[in-house]
Amino acid sequence: MTNQPTNPEIDNKPLVVLPVTMADIMTQIALENTVRANLRPANKAAVFAALAGAGIATVVVTFDGYGDSGQIESIDARSSDADVPLPEETIAIVGIVWGRSEPEARTLSVREAIEHLVYDALSETHGGWENNEGAYGEFVFDVPALEIRLDYNERITSSEFYAHTF
């Protein structure tokens, strides 16, 4: 038992829990997407600066997900003419942390920062990409152009039903 002070005026009142509506959930998702979009330019600039500083021209990130699970399969970096390793340095980025109301600054490896950008982009553009039949694709980080392109493939199971009474 802890020796925490009590307040009879508060402790004896029933806790009121309001139901969460779908509109509440959609509003929260839209808010998080707006925050992600606002954080992306600075996070992207930090990643691209590290990549350019290491002489990297392109990074290709492949992902795959299905059955309620998804992951990054590979991260491959290239200079203009050869495969190269990602830089070992760490960079500062700001991200949304589940269950917290404010974004949080973090120091990540370049690999982790790339993963962060990828997962944020997937959440924003194709939330639930890993569910059911899932999706797969790749992100291409074009360092000279300062662009990230997403090529996205969604798996769909189709069923057609026909009923006839004669």
Side-chain angles (χ1 to χ4, degrees), residues 39-52 91-93 117 146 148:
L39 296 174
R40 184 180 305 111
N43 290 340
K44 183 178 153 186
V47 168
F48 275 81
L51 295 173
I91 56 177
I93 65 164
L117 285 174
L146 299 175
I148 303 171

Side-chain angles (χ1 to χ4, degrees), residues 2-16:
T2 62
N3 292 336
Q4 296 182 4
T6 60
N7 182 340
E9 291 179 26
I10 295 173
D11 293 342
N12 293 329
K13 291 185 179 180
L15 179 63
V16 177

Side-chain angles (χ1 to χ4, degrees), residues 45-57 84-89 110 143-144 146:
V47 168
F48 275 81
L51 295 173
I56 294 172
V84 294
L86 289 171
E88 295 292 327
E89 69 187 274
V110 172
V143 178
L146 299 175

Side-chain angles (χ1 to χ4, degrees), residues 11-93:
D11 293 342
N12 293 329
K13 291 185 179 180
L15 179 63
V16 177
V17 178
L18 300 176
V20 176
T21 67
M22 191 57 158
D24 296 333
I25 294 168
M26 296 309 292
T27 298
Q28 182 63 33
I29 289 170
L31 177 63
E32 285 183 8
N33 285 340
T34 299
V35 171
R36 279 189 186 93
N38 290 336
L39 296 174
R40 184 180 305 111
N43 290 340
K44 183 178 153 186
V47 168
F48 275 81
L51 295 173
I56 294 172
T58 307
V59 174
V60 177
V61 181
T62 61
F63 65 93
D64 194 3
Y66 54 89
D68 301 335
S69 177
Q71 63 281 330
I72 290 174
E73 297 288 324
S74 65
I75 301 176
D76 299 310
R78 275 190 75 73
S79 67
S80 59
D81 59 352
D83 291 340
V84 294
L86 289 171
E88 295 292 327
E89 69 187 274
T90 58
I91 56 177
I93 65 164

